[in-house]
Amino acid sequence: METPLQDLLEARNAAIQLQSATDYRAYRQNATKQLARVRRALKIQVRPSKGNKSTWKPTAVTSADIEQDSNYAKVLVLSAERAWSKAMEIKAMLESHKGGGSRKQRVYVESKLAKAAKYVRELAAGLGEESSFLCASARLELLTYRYIIEGALYFEKQSWKKAANAYAAARVGLSVMGSELMRDTVAEVVDPALTFAIVKSGVKRTADIGTLARQTVASSSEFNQIASAVKQIEPHALDVDSAAQSPSERLGPVTWRGHSARVADPDLANAIIEAQKLEGATDYTKINAFDSVLRAWQDALDMIKESIEKLESADAAARSHDQSSQEMYIIFTFISYCMLFRRIQRDLLIVSKVGEAKPAKTTVKKIEQNRDVVRIYDTLIQSVGELLNLPGVSQDSELASALTTLEKYFKTLRTTSIAQSYALSGERKKALALYLLANSYDLAPNPSMSLLPGSTVSGEDITKCKEALIKEISRAHGLAVLEEQEEAPSGAPSVAVVDQLNKLPPLSNPSAVLARLVDFDPKLAPVPVKPAFFDVAFNYIQYDEEAKREVLETRERHIQPPQEQQQQQQQQQQQQQKGKKGFLGLWGR
């Protein structure tokens, strides 16, 4: 058992973070199988005789057994974990139902947690000052595990003072071990429960959670065992400086653009101090170095957001914009401002590093690199947009002007990168259009850029970007003209000049243009005709009387109804029959 607590936390995380009753049940069944396997190996599992389960009693684990073999300690750990997971399973089922379950069910949860606490206390009693089979870190992990289980028990029983003390001891042990999984457990499990228990116990504190936890462990004889285990690993872990008792005093007022605010929350003050400490100790020439700084500022930002949410959800009488609420918004803007500019610096460093490790040799690779750069510029533009929307920025004209110029700078670079990709793929006209779009942002040097922290973008950078853009526009314009000429190498218009008088014919080959002034071999094509046009035109055409009479008669014949035309035809036939007399119409009777 070199890292018992680390193994337990990894097993819990492997079970999909143990979110539902089904997850806890599967985890408990797995712990039961492991426990049976260990008992079988130690030969301490007594089977029922002749099927009588009442005679089955497992052999108790004593301190001498733990000193003799570390697997006996594993039996107690797995037994505690099985009981804890059963309690969490029932609790998850109760929380999923309305009403939270009956009193009997809640007592059952407490009894399972008490059973788990019994096992871990037996385990702690078997851990002496010097264990032959355990290293100092493993002993500290087992003692920390004890207080995690006890904290859950007291929290369920609503014994807030005991819960706060247990979680304080667990926090000290987890902080000393310092692995990533331990820090996540502190942030997600221990700190929220510890803070809630302190509030419920009515203790008014001026120190942050970490300092308060160290004070609790160092001042109480109840925690001598874990205190000695902590000092074996880190001798000064429990030292509490007088200045550290008040992080707000140690931090002092927060100043941003001429506005000052005091941080009343000691946890928030401590988070800002940690972030500022990392700011000064970070090498900003490495991309990975930004992660710890951004994480520290994000922790502080989450704290101030939670405080603002509580303020906004309060009653209207308590939500008046007094001095404390104004200071809270100033602190929010300060933290967001520092974090967003560090993020911008990191993204700019990533852009500068793209292509340095593996220079693109083919057009496809270059286009892929430009695609990655465009994504980063999207993030940069988003960060600047968040800066512009921070409280108090819009009232600061100089800062707002500098941020607007910074946003134009990133938009220009983003559009230029897209235009370069189109130029590489042979789309010269589209590339020219995108270069012109980048030029439409009207990027110009701004003296207010010196206000931005860390020399993010200087006026010289903006000037170079503008000059490079003008060169690219000239180059793209020439390539677009060449592409236009390549599409029509003879220079002759595809349509006759007389048929498109609204367009200027190409001037590259005048003789070819003259040859296509008129289409000498026209093809039959439909022409839209409106009869009403001819009726109107007839009124303006002058004919002599006889020709006009013939036209009118022809027109009347065409516009007469079919019945009248049939009657006229019958009358004409009758007249013709009357006129026929004699043989073949030559002689009459």
Side-chain angles (χ1 to χ4, degrees):
M1 297 182 67
E2 296 181 358
T3 56
L5 183 56
Q6 180 80 14
D7 296 339
L8 280 177
L9 295 177
E10 288 178 356
R12 291 183 181 182
N13 287 339
I16 322 176
Q17 299 292 331
L18 297 177
Q19 296 177 353
S20 64
T22 305
D23 297 334
Y24 284 110
R25 186 181 304 114
Y27 180 75
R28 176 174 56 83
Q29 292 172 353
N30 187 28
T32 303
K33 292 178 182 179
Q34 292 183 28
L35 178 60
R37 194 179 302 117
V38 175
R39 283 183 178 276
R40 194 180 304 114
L42 294 172
K43 297 181 181 181
I44 60 174
Q45 182 70 41
V46 179
R47 297 182 178 276
S49 61
K50 298 181 181 181
N52 187 6
K53 195 173 181 181
S54 61
T55 63
W56 171 71
K57 290 184 179 180
T59 305
V61 178
T62 63
S63 301
D65 294 332
I66 295 175
E67 185 67 25
Q68 181 181 359
D69 191 348
S70 63
N71 285 326
Y72 285 97
K74 194 171 184 179
V75 169
L76 294 176
V77 170
L78 290 173
S79 300
E81 198 71 1
R82 181 178 62 175
W84 170 84
S85 58
K86 181 62 177 178
M88 294 298 103
E89 177 188 348
I90 302 301
K91 186 177 180 181
M93 293 175 60
L94 296 178
E95 290 177 351
S96 63
H97 294 83
K98 294 182 178 179
S102 62
R103 172 62 183 168
K104 183 177 180 181
Q105 291 171 323
R106 292 195 294 272
V107 170
Y108 180 75
V109 172
E110 294 177 8
S111 67
K112 285 297 179 181
L113 288 174
K115 189 175 183 180
K118 171 180 170 292
Y119 287 124
V120 295
R121 286 168 186 154
E122 292 178 359
L123 176 62
L127 299 176
E129 293 293 334
E130 297 290 339
S131 298
S132 59
F133 69 95
L134 285 177
C135 60
S137 61
R139 181 169 175 269
L140 176 59
E141 288 190 16
L142 290 175
L143 293 174
T144 303
Y145 176 65
R146 170 198 173 178
Y147 289 109
I148 292 175
I149 296 296
E150 287 188 349
L153 170 63
Y154 293 133
F155 197 93
E156 189 66 27
K157 296 175 69 174
Q158 297 184 1
S159 299
W160 304 119
K161 183 64 176 177
K162 292 182 178 180
N165 291 339
Y167 276 124
R171 192 188 195 283
V172 170
L174 291 169
S175 301
V176 170
M177 286 176 273
S179 67
E180 186 69 27
L181 192 56
M182 303 292 184
R183 287 195 294 268
D184 292 342
T185 305
V186 169
E188 298 173 5
V189 179
V190 176
D191 276 358
L194 177 56
T195 305
F196 187 82
I198 290 173
V199 172
K200 283 293 186 178
S201 62
V203 176
K204 186 177 181 181
R205 60 188 179 91
T206 57
D208 61 287
I209 290 293
T211 303
L212 187 63
R214 291 193 296 273
Q215 288 177 342
T216 302
V217 174
S219 61
S220 177
S221 59
E222 178 186 355
F223 304 108
N224 288 339
Q225 190 177 17
I226 192 172
S228 62
V230 167
K231 290 180 180 179
Q232 285 182 358
I233 298 177
E234 190 174 339
H236 302 287
L238 298 179
D239 293 346
V240 180
D241 190 5
S242 60
Q245 295 180 6
S246 179
S248 300
E249 295 293 334
R250 186 152 47 100
L251 176 63
V254 171
T255 304
W256 179 81
R257 300 290 298 166
H259 303 281
S260 296
R262 291 190 59 81
V263 182
D265 187 358
D267 295 331
L268 177 59
N270 191 63
I272 295 175
I273 290 172
E274 291 296 325
Q276 291 178 340
K277 187 186 299 182
L278 289 172
E279 285 268 358
T282 302
D283 182 12
Y284 293 110
T285 60
K286 299 179 181 179
I287 297 174
N288 295 333
F290 285 87
D291 295 340
S292 59
V293 178
L294 292 175
R295 191 184 303 113
W297 282 120
Q298 185 63 51
D299 293 341
L301 184 62
D302 292 339
M303 291 182 184
I304 190 63
K305 280 183 178 179
E306 184 178 356
S307 300
I308 292 176
E309 288 176 359
K310 291 180 181 178
L311 177 69
E312 292 178 349
S313 62
D315 296 333
R319 250 193 297 130
S320 60
H321 293 281
D322 54 1
Q323 183 65 24
S324 60
S325 63
Q326 292 294 331
E327 289 181 347
M328 195 175 297
Y329 282 104
I330 292 172
I331 297 168
F332 170 76
T333 302
F334 166 74
I335 296 173
S336 302
Y337 188 81
C338 295
M339 186 191 72
L340 289 171
F341 265 105
R342 286 304 177 196
R343 186 196 298 173
I344 289 173
Q345 284 184 322
R346 182 202 59 183
D347 293 341
L348 288 175
L349 183 61
I350 294 174
V351 171
S352 64
K353 297 293 184 181
V354 171
E356 289 185 1
K358 289 184 178 180
K361 297 180 180 180
T362 62
T363 301
V364 176
K365 292 293 183 180
K366 291 179 181 178
I367 293 176
E368 289 180 357
Q369 285 185 356
N370 282 346
R371 189 181 295 115
D372 296 336
V373 170
V374 168
R375 292 195 188 100
I376 299 172
Y377 281 133
D378 286 334
T379 306
L380 287 166
I381 294 170
Q382 180 183 359
S383 299
V384 178
E386 292 179 15
L387 284 168
L388 285 168
N389 292 327
L390 288 177
V393 172
S394 58
Q395 286 79 16
D396 194 334
S397 59
E398 291 184 354
L399 181 59
S401 175
L403 291 174
T404 303
T405 304
L406 187 62
E407 185 180 28
K408 291 181 180 179
Y409 176 73
F410 291 141
K411 285 183 177 180
T412 302
L413 291 177
R414 175 184 179 275
T415 310
T416 302
S417 299
I418 300 174
Q420 289 174 355
S421 299
Y422 274 97
L424 289 171
S425 61
E427 300 286 345
R428 298 172 181 174
K429 293 181 180 178
K430 294 180 180 179
L432 176 60
L434 287 167
Y435 281 126
L436 294 175
L437 175 61
N439 192 39
S440 66
Y441 293 127
D442 295 330
L443 182 64
N446 190 344
S448 300
M449 296 294 290
S450 59
L451 299 175
L452 302 181
S455 300
T456 307
V457 177
S458 61
E460 185 179 357
D461 295 332
I462 294 176
T463 303
K464 290 181 179 179
C465 177
K466 187 68 175 179
E467 293 175 353
L469 178 60
I470 297 300
K471 293 179 181 178
E472 290 294 336
I473 290 175
S474 302
R475 181 172 176 272
H477 190 273
L479 292 174
V481 171
L482 290 175
E483 182 181 4
E484 183 74 18
Q485 292 179 356
E486 289 174 359
E487 291 178 355
S490 62
S494 58
V495 183
V497 177
V498 72
D499 293 332
Q500 51 177 2
L501 296 177
N502 59 333
K503 294 183 179 180
L504 181 67
L507 303 178
S508 58
N509 194 347
S511 60
V513 175
L514 291 174
R516 289 287 292 159
L517 289 177
V518 179
D519 191 359
F520 291 101
D521 187 15
K523 295 181 180 180
L524 185 64
V527 177
V529 176
K530 292 185 178 180
F533 171 77
F534 298 104
D535 293 340
V536 174
F538 177 76
N539 297 327
Y540 296 93
I541 299 175
Q542 300 296 328
Y543 297 98
D544 55 1
E545 293 299 329
E546 185 176 356
K548 192 171 184 179
R549 189 182 312 109
E550 293 178 357
V551 172
L552 291 174
E553 291 175 356
T554 304
R555 181 183 178 188
E556 290 177 357
R557 283 199 302 271
H558 285 292
I559 64 176
Q560 280 181 348
Q563 295 179 356
E564 295 182 0
Q565 291 182 3
Q566 291 179 1
Q567 292 177 2
Q568 289 182 0
Q569 290 177 0
Q570 291 177 0
Q571 292 177 0
Q572 290 177 359
Q573 290 177 0
Q574 291 176 1
Q575 291 178 0
Q576 289 178 359
Q577 291 177 358
K578 290 180 180 180
K580 292 181 179 179
K581 297 178 180 180
F583 183 73
L584 299 177
L586 298 175
W587 294 279
R589 292 182 179 180

